[in-house]
Amino acid sequence: MAKEPVRVLVTGAAGQIGYALVPMIARGVMLGADQPVILHMLDIPPAAEALNGVKMELVDAAFPLLKGVVATTDVVEACTGVNVAVMVGGFPRKEGMERKDVMSKNVSIYKSQASALEQHAAPNCKVLVVANPANTNALILKEFAPSIPAKNITCLTRLDHNRALGQISEKLNVQVSDVKNVIIWGNHSSSQYPDVNHATVMTPSGEKPVRELVKDDAWLNGEFITTVQQRGAAIIKARKLSSALSAASAACDHIRDWVLGTPEGTWVSMGVYSDGSYNAPAGVIYSFPVTCKNGEWTIVQGLAIDEFSRKKLDLTGAELTEEKELAYSCLS
């Protein structure tokens, strides 16, 4: 029997990431090749005409799985009945702006979108925040949508996770699909900690630890980390625009694994509401290694954390605590 369509909201849908993301969703990349979807696209009034152009293109692409398109600048209409919400829209930092100014703009955006989701989204709606500062935007959304379960509000660190997989794959000249179990800890910012201590590569003679194969701790503890941390800036330098297709692809990966499950023996990185696991600060949205099953994520427990890693986990945790305080100060 044909499945019921799933309603997927994309905010900031007329922007770069949105433009890359909506065809992926319509093609089944996010929820599976047999899952019909209805797309809800939201953007701000100045982008209304561009948003309508995206809707026209979606019609023109004749996607078999796409059962309807809502394109609107009204947040209530956009949020009504949605099962999955991908929050791409936000206020970008502009030259000369202080962090607090950016935070203040995003706090007001996420506060109003939280209320609309809480009142109008489908029960058990899954939320993924992409717009920066992603962890803290997700936290604000959680605070102002108290009836949405905390476990249903996440932020995107899968892009960083995928970047780490890509760097290892390039370094070892192996297929990226043969590399697994890297971890992104903490904040989706340049303080994040890309950790390969538990990562493996499938070789002709079985799974081998990444450290054993790379045989270069100086690179893994230095250049590898900074390359992943600063990859976004490197792409802006090269494209004169920020990452769009890789961010859209990572958003699809994040939701797909969350909804359909992670493969046995594999974990992924997701920014989730911290319970204090691994001595990370509780009460912030922190990126952990997780496995997913039956639509629920679980933090992978019991991984050894060495002294080098401990410092990195604490550093990114401290930044998140500071961001949380900054965001809360914008509310007062």
Side-chain angles (χ1 to χ4, degrees), residues 16-17 19-21 24 159 239 242-252:
Q16 280 240 77
I17 295 172
Y19 188 72
L21 178 58
M24 292 182 188
L159 176 54
R239 287 188 76 226
S242 57
S243 322
L245 83 83
S246 55
S249 183
C252 288

Side-chain angles (χ1 to χ4, degrees), residues 247-265:
S249 183
C252 288
D253 291 344
H254 175 112
I255 297 288
R256 187 190 61 243
D257 286 345
W258 188 4
V259 172
L260 301 177
T262 45
E264 194 65 39

Side-chain angles (χ1 to χ4, degrees), residues 6 25 35 41 64 88-89 113 136 157 176 188 217 243 269-270 277 285 317 328:
V6 169
I25 298 169
Q35 177 59 65
M41 303 192 300
V88 181
Q113 293 185 350
T136 300
T157 56
V176 74
H188 172 64
D217 282 352
S243 322
S269 302
M270 285 171 65
S277 290
I285 304 276
Y328 281 36

Side-chain angles (χ1 to χ4, degrees), residues 9-326:
L9 166 66
V10 177
T11 72
Q16 280 240 77
I17 295 172
Y19 188 72
L21 178 58
V22 291
M24 292 182 188
I25 298 169
R27 212 174 257 292
V29 175
M30 178 179 278
L31 292 168
D34 63 344
Q35 177 59 65
V37 292
I38 296 170
L39 269 167
H40 288 224
M41 303 192 300
L42 175 70
D43 218 311
I44 54 175
E49 199 176 350
L51 186 66
N52 193 46
V54 178
K55 181 178 179 177
M56 289 160 68
E57 284 203 77
L58 287 167
V59 171
D60 294 351
F63 294 110
L65 289 172
L66 187 59
K67 302 303 178 189
V69 181
V70 176
T72 184
T73 58
D74 179 78
V75 68
V76 171
E77 186 186 4
C79 291
T80 299
V82 298
N83 310 100
V84 173
V86 185
M87 317 301 281
V88 181
F91 193 91
R93 188 169 183 172
K94 294 178 180 170
E95 217 173 323
M97 279 184 83
E98 291 297 322
R99 267 179 77 209
K100 181 154 184 180
D101 300 334
V102 187
M103 190 70 80
S104 173
K105 296 270 191 199
N106 281 296
V107 163
S108 63
I109 292 169
Y110 277 83
K111 195 174 162 183
S112 76
Q113 293 185 350
S115 305
L117 279 171
E118 180 169 51
Q119 290 168 49
H120 303 285
N124 212 29
C125 174
K126 287 179 160 54
V127 182
L128 167 61
V129 177
V130 176
N132 287 322
N135 300 58
T136 300
N137 285 344
L139 183 67
I140 292 297
L141 199 149
K142 180 213 160 285
E143 293 295 318
F144 286 95
S147 71
I148 298 177
K151 65 181 171 55
N152 282 26
I153 296 171
T154 64
C155 84
L156 187 72
T157 56
R158 183 61 174 269
L159 176 54
D160 310 299
H161 182 99
N162 288 350
R163 284 167 171 165
L165 293 174
Q167 289 303 304
I168 297 300
S169 148
E170 295 272 294
K171 180 76 170 177
L172 292 172
N173 197 24
V174 295
Q175 296 298 317
V176 74
S177 54
D178 289 333
V179 188
K180 70 175 190 180
N181 296 352
V182 298
I183 302 166
I184 303 297
W185 297 100
N187 198 1
H188 172 64
S189 74
S190 57
S191 79
Q192 64 175 260
Y193 172 44
D195 176 4
V196 297
N197 288 330
H198 310 278
T200 60
V201 177
M202 181 54 77
T203 72
S205 54
E207 280 188 3
K208 294 275 175 14
V210 163
R211 277 204 187 270
E212 193 181 296
L213 294 172
V214 171
K215 297 186 181 73
D216 186 348
D217 282 352
W219 182 79
L220 285 171
N221 293 345
E223 191 186 330
F224 163 74
I225 292 174
T226 52
T227 299
V228 175
Q229 286 173 333
Q230 294 165 17
R231 187 68 161 185
I235 285 165
I236 291 172
K237 191 164 184 269
R239 287 188 76 226
K240 312 293 178 269
L241 295 162
S242 57
S243 322
L245 83 83
S246 55
S249 183
C252 288
D253 291 344
H254 175 112
I255 297 288
R256 187 190 61 243
D257 286 345
W258 188 4
V259 172
L260 301 177
T262 45
E264 194 65 39
T266 300
W267 62 67
V268 293
S269 302
M270 285 171 65
V272 299
Y273 192 62
S274 171
D275 61 356
S277 290
Y278 294 99
N279 289 327
V284 296
I285 304 276
Y286 192 100
S287 181
F288 289 101
V290 301
T291 54
C292 303
K293 192 175 183 179
N294 302 326
E296 305 268 337
W297 55 263
T298 306
I299 296 172
V300 176
Q301 297 293 347
L303 299 173
I305 305 293
D306 63 16
E307 196 182 344
F308 177 84
S309 300
R310 182 72 262 159
K311 286 179 180 155
K312 298 279 189 194
L313 266 73
D314 292 345
L315 189 76
T316 191
E319 184 182 64
L320 280 168
T321 303
E322 185 206 335
E323 268 188 28
K324 177 181 178 175
E325 285 162 6
L326 187 60

